């Protein structure tokens, strides 16, 4: 009997668990009926369009990401719906998270049922389409909100002043995506925060810990209003206002807030300020001011930021010398001081920053020999000394394994001479750029890589022949060898580069015929073979029917379409096509943008050496061309640092 009763108890438990797992509507029925009704009204007020292509532009969303609202059904308990959090005692909805839900509609418009959820504490509407609507003043009725995150597409108008009623706010994040979506003819303005609304919000929401504003128009917020952030001295941990059109001078006492861990005011080109020169002992981990009008010098006091791991002051107006006290930042992983007016030399003590992964000192006035002391940095992956006054011969040092993790090495546009040490490039994983060094930097010893996409060796002193081995770079999309002393013929193996989109061999001493096999390059959109010694018939068919005269100018022995010289003519022919006076030789229109990127940015990922007898011939591979300020790489690094 006891055994049977025990079996019945076990059976009952199994049945109970089955219903518990498979029928959530039977599970406690906590959902408040009023809140459930409001959510169903909300669902009916918008439509789901999972085909929005704009979602694919962001790493956070994908077309396969399903909408949370798919689980919102009247027969089930709303506390079990995706994106919904309920209070366990009252059943009221306290959390609404609609993330990448493909929703399109006026989610926070006049009649939005969200405003009926009066117990709501957390509201997150990220990567949805607000369809050009504004935020209604009724948002001020959600007085229990502690977390507000809005990163919508197509939102406009002013942030209502009633936002200041949310006195319990701790996390306030608004990012205006400003997408054109499926209507390229119509633009939507950024959401605006005026001076009055900002003042009221900061005055009332005294518990704010995070303020994150991106692509929000704050141009009317004055200096005195910005200084109100000091009222949050006991709570503020994170303050980010990227690309918000803030103007004027930032009060320096904001950088003294005692609990501040991260401040990012980047991409506000009219925001002025200076770094503190004393009493700077806050627990700051991230300081990013790139593309602002901050100026002055880097003082010794920066050494007191012991927790700092990201320091980005690029694109500002800082001058003076690099302080040796930077070596005290033992947690530093990213140091970007590029595009300033810094001078002097690199302190040898910087080699103590053993956690440093990115060091960018490019585009300054630094005058020094090559900083050998940095060779020993065990984690350094990016080193850019581009466009300074570095000089002298780079010779091998006593370091057994210099730059053990280096992936990007850019010393272009300096005054280095001599041969780049082989011991350096034997450890490089990605990029070497020695462009424009008035030099004979002659070779790198490296095996061929097949993963790189661009080679830019223009405007150097390279000589020798193009090796057949170049045909092994099957992923190559761009090749620029212009303005050198390269001789010989175009190797047939170039026809193996099926992904090649642009090719520039202009201003060299190449001769012979243009290989007919190149007509098989179906993706070749831009070609410049001008100012060489080519002869014979120009290939026909394929992409060659799209190239104009200026692709072949300065080769008097060439004939055929598109040139006016027929290959049957016996008389000597001179080209009717001449290049402009500019030395670049780029009359070819379709590659202007690509070439400009290669010349302006010159940042190269990858390295390789080709040896064709004597003299030795240098080739440098790039996987991608950075923008002027390495913003993408830096943004990724910053994101990694934040995580």
């Amino acid at each position: 009997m006891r055994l049977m009763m025990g079996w019945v108890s076990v059976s009952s438990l199994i049945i109970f668990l089955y219903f518990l797992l498979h029928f959530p509507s039977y599970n406690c029925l906590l959902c408040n009926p009023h809140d459930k009704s409001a959510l169903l009204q909300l669902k009916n007020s918008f439509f789901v369009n999972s085909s929005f292509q704009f979602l694919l532009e962001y790493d956070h969303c994908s077309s396969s990401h399903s909408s949370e609202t798919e689980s919102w059904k009247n027969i089930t308990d709303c506390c079990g719906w995706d994106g919904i959090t309920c209070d366990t005692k009252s059943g009221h909805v306290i959390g609404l998270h609609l993330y990448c839900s493909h929703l399109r509609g006026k989610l926070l418009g006049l009649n939005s049922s969200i405003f009926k959820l009066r117990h709501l504490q957390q509201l997150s509407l990220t990567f949805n389409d607000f369809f050009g609507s504004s935020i209604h003043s009724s948002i001020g009725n959600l007085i229990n909100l502690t977390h507000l995150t809005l990163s919508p597409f197509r939102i406009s108008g002013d942030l209502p002043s009633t936002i200041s009623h949310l006195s319990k706010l701790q996390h306030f994040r608004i990012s205006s995506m400003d997408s054109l979506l499926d209507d390229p003819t119509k633009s939507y303005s950024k959401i605006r925060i005026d001076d009055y609304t900002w003042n009221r919000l900061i005055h009332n929401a005294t518990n704010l810990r995070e303020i994150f504003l991106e692509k929000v128009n704050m141009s009317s917020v004055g200096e005195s209003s910005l200084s109100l952030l000091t009222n949050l001295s006991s709570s503020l941990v994170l303050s980010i206002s990227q690309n918000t059109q803030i103007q004027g001078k930032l009060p320096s006492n904001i950088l003294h807030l005692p609990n501040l861990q991260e401040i990012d005011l980047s991409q506000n080109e009219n925001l002025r300020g200076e770094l503190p020169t004393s009493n700077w002992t806050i627990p700051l981990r991230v300081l990013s001011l790139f593309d602002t009008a901050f100026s002055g010098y880097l003082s010794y006091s920066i050494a007191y930021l012991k927790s700092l791991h990201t320091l980005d002051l690029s694109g500002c107006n800082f001058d003076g010398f690099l302080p040796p006290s930077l070596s005290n930042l033992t947690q530093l992983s990213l140091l970007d001081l590029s595009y300033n007016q810094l001078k002097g030399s690199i302190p040898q003590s910087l080699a103590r920053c053993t956690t440093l992964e990115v060091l960018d000192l490019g585009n300054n006035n630094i005058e020094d020999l090559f900083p050998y002391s940095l060779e020993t940095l065990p984690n350094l992956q990016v080193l850019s000394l581009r466009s300074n006054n570095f000089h002298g011969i780079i010779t091998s040092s006593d370091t057994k394994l210099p730059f053990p993790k280096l992936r990007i090495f850019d010393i272009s546009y300096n005054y280095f001479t001599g041969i780049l040490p082989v011991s350096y490039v034997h450890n490089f994983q990605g990029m070497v750029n020695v462009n424009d060094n008035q030099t004979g930097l002659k070779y790198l010893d490296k095996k061929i890589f097949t993963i790189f996409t661009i080679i830019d060796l223009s405007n150097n002193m390279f000589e020798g022949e193009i090796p057949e081995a170049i045909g092994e770079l099957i992923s190559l999309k761009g090749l620029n060898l212009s303005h050198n002393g390269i001789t010989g013929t175009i190797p047939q193996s170039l026809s193996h580069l099926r992904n090649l989109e642009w090719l520039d061999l202009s201003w060299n001493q190449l001769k012979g015929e243009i290989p007919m096999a190149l007509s098989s390059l179906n993706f070749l959109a831009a070609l410049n073979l001008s100012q060489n010694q080519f002869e014979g018939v120009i290939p026909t068919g394929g992409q060659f029917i799209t190239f104009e005269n200026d692709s072949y100018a300065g080769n008097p022995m060439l004939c055929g379409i598109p040139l006016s010289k027929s290959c049957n003519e016996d008389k000597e022919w001179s080209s009717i096509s001449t290049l402009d006076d500019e030395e670049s030789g780029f009359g070819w229109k379709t590659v202007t943008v690509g070439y400009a990127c290669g010349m302006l940015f010159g940042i190269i990922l990858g390295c390789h050496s080709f040896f064709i007898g004597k003299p030795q011939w240098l080739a440098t591979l790039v996987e991608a061309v950075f923008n002027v300020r390495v913003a993408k790489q830096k943004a990724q690094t910053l994101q990694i640092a934040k995580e």
Side-chain angles (χ1 to χ4, degrees):
M1 180 66 69
R2 290 182 179 178
L3 181 61
M4 182 176 295
M5 291 179 63
W7 181 85
V8 171
S9 299
V10 172
S11 300
S12 301
L13 179 60
I14 292 175
I15 294 174
F16 174 75
L17 290 175
Y18 176 83
F19 278 96
L20 184 66
L21 294 174
H22 291 82
F23 297 94
S25 59
Y26 296 146
N27 180 20
C28 301
L29 290 178
L30 288 177
C31 187
N32 180 276
H34 176 271
D35 290 357
K36 181 176 182 178
S37 175
L39 290 173
L40 290 175
Q41 289 179 39
L42 178 66
K43 180 179 181 179
N44 293 329
S45 67
F46 52 73
F47 65 91
V48 179
N49 187 349
S50 59
S51 65
F52 278 172
Q53 292 299 311
F54 74 90
L55 289 174
L56 302 180
E57 301 175 7
Y58 299 89
D59 295 335
H60 307 284
C61 301
S62 67
S63 58
S64 61
H65 195 289
S66 61
S67 172
E68 281 87 350
T69 58
E70 291 182 3
S71 65
W72 294 16
K73 302 184 185 302
N74 191 34
I75 61 173
T76 57
D77 177 36
C78 75
C79 293
W81 294 350
D82 293 337
I84 301 299
T85 304
C86 290
D87 182 271
T88 56
K89 294 182 179 179
S90 66
H92 283 296
V93 174
I94 60 174
L96 176 58
H97 304 273
L98 300 179
Y99 176 80
C100 296
S101 294
H102 313 276
L103 307 182
R104 190 177 189 185
K106 299 183 178 181
L107 279 72
L108 289 178
L110 171 62
N111 299 316
S112 176
S113 59
I114 288 180
F115 302 135
K116 297 179 181 180
L117 302 173
R118 298 300 181 90
H119 298 270
L120 208 58
Q121 298 176 17
Q122 298 185 1
L123 175 60
S124 177
L125 302 175
T126 304
F127 296 108
N128 294 291
D129 181 11
F130 274 38
F131 206 55
S133 67
S134 58
I135 301 175
H136 193 265
S137 59
S138 296
I139 196 171
N141 297 333
L142 303 178
I143 58 175
N144 291 303
L145 276 183
T146 60
H147 293 67
L148 176 60
T149 300
L150 303 176
S151 296
F153 292 86
R154 296 201 296 187
I155 191 170
S156 61
D158 295 320
L159 188 69
S161 60
T162 54
I163 199 81
S164 62
H165 298 171
L166 309 182
S167 59
K168 297 180 181 180
L169 269 185
Q170 298 178 21
H171 301 264
F172 179 53
R173 304 172 70 92
I174 296 183
S175 178
S176 179
M177 306 314 298
D178 202 22
S179 175
L180 300 182
L181 293 177
D182 47 12
D183 188 358
T185 64
K186 190 172 183 179
S187 175
Y188 297 88
S189 60
K190 299 176 182 178
I191 189 169
R192 296 179 296 272
I193 301 179
D194 60 34
D195 195 67
Y196 174 77
T197 301
W198 173 264
N199 289 350
R200 296 287 299 169
L201 175 65
I202 301 302
H203 182 267
N204 291 336
T206 56
N207 295 316
L208 274 172
R209 290 178 52 81
E210 292 187 3
I211 300 176
F212 186 103
L213 304 171
E214 182 181 16
K215 295 183 180 179
V216 175
N217 189 339
M218 297 179 63
S219 58
S220 65
V221 177
E223 295 179 12
S224 59
S225 298
L226 289 177
S227 65
L228 292 178
L229 287 174
T230 57
N231 295 341
L232 306 175
S233 61
S234 62
S235 62
L236 194 63
V237 171
L238 179 145
S239 178
I240 295 180
S241 300
Q242 296 178 350
N243 195 3
T244 55
Q245 304 175 47
I246 299 176
Q247 305 179 53
K249 185 174 183 179
L250 184 77
S252 60
N253 53 1
I254 291 179
L255 296 176
H256 286 288
L257 293 180
N259 297 306
L260 198 61
Q261 296 182 19
E262 181 172 349
I263 185 165
D264 186 343
L265 301 171
S266 57
Q267 296 180 287
N268 292 297
E269 59 183 13
N270 295 316
L271 179 63
R272 296 176 286 110
E274 296 180 354
L275 299 182
T277 57
S278 62
N279 301 323
W280 205 6
T281 57
I282 61 176
L284 201 64
R285 296 187 296 109
V286 174
L287 175 60
S288 181
L289 302 173
F290 75 85
D291 282 351
T292 65
F294 268 70
S295 59
Y297 64 96
L298 304 180
S299 73
Y300 182 88
S301 65
I302 201 170
Y304 295 110
L305 301 178
K306 300 290 188 180
S307 301
L308 199 66
H309 65 64
T310 297
L311 177 60
D312 189 347
L313 306 180
S314 56
C316 296
N317 297 314
F318 289 103
D319 54 19
F321 301 92
L322 292 171
S325 59
L326 283 171
S327 62
N328 292 340
L329 305 181
T330 57
Q331 305 299 315
L332 200 62
S333 62
L334 183 147
L335 176 60
D336 191 343
L337 304 176
S338 60
Y339 290 88
N340 282 286
Q341 290 90 46
L342 298 172
K343 57 186 178 181
S345 59
I346 298 179
Q348 292 189 3
S349 59
L350 195 60
R352 295 188 209 142
C353 297
T354 56
T355 58
L356 202 59
E357 297 178 7
V358 177
L359 176 59
D360 192 344
L361 302 176
N363 295 83
N364 279 286
N365 299 314
I366 299 173
E367 186 170 354
D368 200 355
L369 297 173
F370 185 80
Y372 298 105
S373 58
L374 303 180
E375 290 181 354
T376 58
L377 288 174
N379 297 297
L380 192 64
Q381 299 181 36
V382 177
L383 175 61
S384 176
L385 307 177
R386 176 185 175 88
S387 297
N388 278 284
N389 296 313
F390 288 96
H391 55 274
I393 299 175
I394 302 177
T395 59
S396 300
S397 68
D398 295 331
T399 305
K400 293 183 179 180
L401 186 61
F403 301 114
K405 290 189 178 180
L406 203 61
R407 302 178 66 87
I408 299 176
F409 181 66
D410 187 359
I411 58 173
S412 59
Y413 299 95
N414 280 288
Y415 301 93
F416 292 115
T417 58
I419 298 175
L420 192 64
V422 173
S423 60
Y424 278 18
V425 297
H426 271 309
N427 303 296
F428 294 168
Q429 300 295 317
M431 159 260 198
V432 173
N433 187 6
V434 297
N435 195 342
D436 236 334
N437 258 292
Q438 329 222 346
T439 166
L441 284 173
K442 295 184 187 281
Y443 67 86
L444 308 176
D445 183 13
K446 196 73 177 177
K447 294 180 180 179
I448 290 179
F449 286 92
T450 58
I451 62 173
F452 303 107
T453 59
I454 297 175
I455 295 177
D456 184 350
L457 294 172
S458 58
N459 290 274
N460 273 289
M461 299 167 59
F462 303 133
E463 53 188 16
E465 299 182 356
I466 303 174
E468 287 284 343
I470 200 169
E472 298 181 33
L473 304 178
I474 57 176
S475 296
L476 203 62
K477 294 185 177 181
L479 177 60
N480 187 354
L481 305 177
S482 64
H483 292 263
N484 282 290
I486 301 173
T487 57
T489 61
I490 297 178
Q492 291 283 338
S493 64
L494 272 182
S495 63
H496 300 162
L497 305 179
R498 301 296 185 182
N499 295 304
L500 200 64
E501 297 176 5
W502 52 272
L503 173 64
D504 183 7
L505 302 177
S506 63
W507 293 91
N508 280 289
Q509 301 171 32
L510 293 165
K511 60 183 180 180
E513 296 185 347
I514 302 172
M516 290 292 178
L518 295 185
S519 62
S520 65
L521 299 178
N522 297 327
F523 294 103
L524 193 63
L527 176 70
N528 192 356
L529 302 178
S530 63
Q531 305 302 322
N532 279 285
Q533 302 168 24
F534 293 117
E535 59 185 61
V537 182
I538 295 175
T540 57
Q543 291 296 101
F544 274 80
I545 64 174
T546 67
F547 304 135
E548 301 178 358
N549 290 4
D550 50 8
S551 292
Y552 312 102
N555 293 280
M557 300 303 293
L558 278 178
C559 61
I561 298 174
L563 302 180
S564 60
K565 179 184 179 182
S566 169
C567 293
N568 295 325
E569 293 180 3
D570 295 325
K571 63 181 180 179
E572 183 177 353
W573 177 82
S574 61
S575 173
I576 65 171
S577 177
T578 59
L579 294 178
D580 295 332
D581 291 335
E582 56 185 5
E583 291 185 350
S584 65
F586 279 89
W588 47 308
K589 301 176 182 178
T590 55
V591 81
T592 299
V593 175
Y595 175 75
C597 290
M599 288 296 296
L600 289 175
F601 311 149
I603 303 293
I604 300 175
L605 301 179
C607 57
H608 170 53
S609 171
F610 305 126
F611 295 94
I612 304 293
K614 296 181 180 180
Q616 294 164 322
W617 189 83
L618 165 69
T620 304
L621 304 182
V622 295
E623 184 176 64
V625 178
F626 288 10
N627 68 17
V628 174
R629 298 202 38 267
V630 205
K632 183 177 181 180
Q633 179 273 325
K634 179 165 52 187
Q636 292 173 343
T637 307
L638 285 170
Q639 183 63 32
I640 293 172
K642 291 177 184 178
E643 296 175 355

